[in-house]
Amino acid sequence: MLGDGKGNFTLASTLTSWRGYSWLAVGDFNADGKLDIVAAQGTTIEIYLGNGDGTFTSFKTYPFPGVSTRQYAVGDAILAADFNGDGKLDLLTLDQYGDMYIMVGRGDGTFAYPPTLITSSPVGCGTFVQLSDFNADGTPDIAFCTGDEVGILIGNGDGTFQPPAFYPGTSSYDFATGDFLSNGHTDIVVSTDITNQFLLLSGNSNGTFQSEEVISLPTTNVNGGVAMAVGDFNNNGLLDFVLDDDYAYIYVQ
């Protein structure tokens, strides 16, 4: 969908999959200055190279990482970032079993395969994963969900990660990252299955977080959430968030 800068969009092109796409991410994977798309569809990953006019060309297909080591695995999350500091976008994948892999980008639209297993954790809250720089060293770190905890993987800048640290999530559903305390540190807000509550994990800017703080929601009958997004929705310089729980609830700080 191409935007006109005024909030209006027109359809430029359509990509189709025989079973639908479970996750999409964008980035310039072949360094030509045009945005490309990576899509998870069932047990495969599809790379679509952008033509620069809103259309895309199917370029490369990979088995979703983990499929070859299990009888059946379905891909879910894919995120793009430069994890090894070589200036080329890599891919982070997460399947429904909680296995995370890194596919190192070559800068030409292709990625090293087989991938590198980063960690394996039981997933009880869907496949929620976020990228941020939690220790302010310029290297992407990873936050993921295990059901009742939020796990943090600190990146070493070479495509490897330190062992995960875990923080209580109270049967967490989705979570989002941002500087909610306006102190220059990245924090995490976590939706829970406790009605009208969410958790705030205050970041220390060194990759660790303070004990969770329970925040009451000024709304009735909000129970968990399957999606969260962060933004300053009222232009007051403070981060707000929107929570999807059948309805879209917008919480302004």
Side-chain angles (χ1 to χ4, degrees):
M1 303 290 291
L2 299 183
D4 65 357
K6 300 178 181 179
N8 303 307
F9 297 86
T10 57
L11 179 63
S13 60
T14 302
L15 305 176
T16 58
S17 168
W18 65 275
R19 65 173 301 156
Y21 301 108
S22 58
W23 200 284
L24 301 171
V26 298
D28 184 6
F29 302 122
N30 61 346
D32 64 352
K34 305 170 185 176
L35 282 180
D36 311 308
I37 295 175
V38 56
Q41 49 178 339
T43 59
T44 61
I45 290 176
E46 185 80 17
I47 307 297
Y48 297 97
L49 296 184
N51 299 315
D53 59 357
T55 65
F56 297 83
T57 301
S58 179
F59 174 68
K60 186 75 174 179
T61 300
Y62 295 94
F64 199 96
V67 172
S68 61
T69 61
R70 299 179 183 272
Q71 183 177 2
Y72 183 72
V74 175
D76 279 288
I78 303 179
L79 294 94
D82 180 10
F83 294 104
N84 60 355
D86 64 354
K88 304 171 185 177
L89 285 178
D90 312 307
L91 299 180
L92 167 72
T93 68
L94 172 66
D95 66 21
Q96 85 273 31
Y97 297 102
D99 293 340
M100 273 187 284
Y101 294 83
I102 294 291
M103 297 172 59
V104 175
R106 299 189 177 101
D108 60 358
T110 67
F111 297 85
Y113 207 94
T116 301
L117 177 66
I118 300 301
T119 189
S120 181
S121 297
V123 173
C125 57
T127 50
F128 302 124
V129 61
Q130 296 272 341
L131 299 180
S132 190
D133 184 5
F134 296 116
N135 61 346
D137 65 350
T139 298
D141 308 310
I142 301 171
F144 62 97
C145 182
T146 69
D148 56 1
E149 293 177 313
V150 174
I152 303 296
L153 287 164
I154 299 299
N156 296 317
D158 58 0
T160 65
F161 295 82
Q162 300 176 24
F166 294 93
Y167 297 86
T170 316
S171 299
S172 49
Y173 283 83
D174 201 359
F175 59 91
T177 63
D179 182 9
F180 295 98
L181 300 182
S182 302
N183 59 4
H185 303 168
T186 301
D187 315 305
I188 299 176
V189 291
V190 186
S191 69
T192 74
D193 61 357
I194 300 176
T195 302
N196 303 333
Q197 286 186 356
F198 73 96
L199 301 180
L200 174 65
L201 299 175
S202 300
N204 297 316
S205 205
N206 60 1
T208 66
F209 294 82
Q210 299 179 28
S211 298
E212 71 276 11
E213 179 182 359
V214 178
I215 308 294
S216 296
L217 294 174
T219 312
T220 59
N221 300 322
V222 177
N223 186 15
V226 296
M228 297 182 75
V230 174
D232 180 8
F233 299 122
N234 61 346
N235 295 313
N236 67 350
L238 303 176
L239 279 185
D240 316 307
F241 68 89
V242 54
L243 174 67
D244 174 22
D245 180 43
D246 293 333
Y247 297 92
Y249 295 94
I250 300 173
Y251 294 100
V252 174
Q253 184 178 187

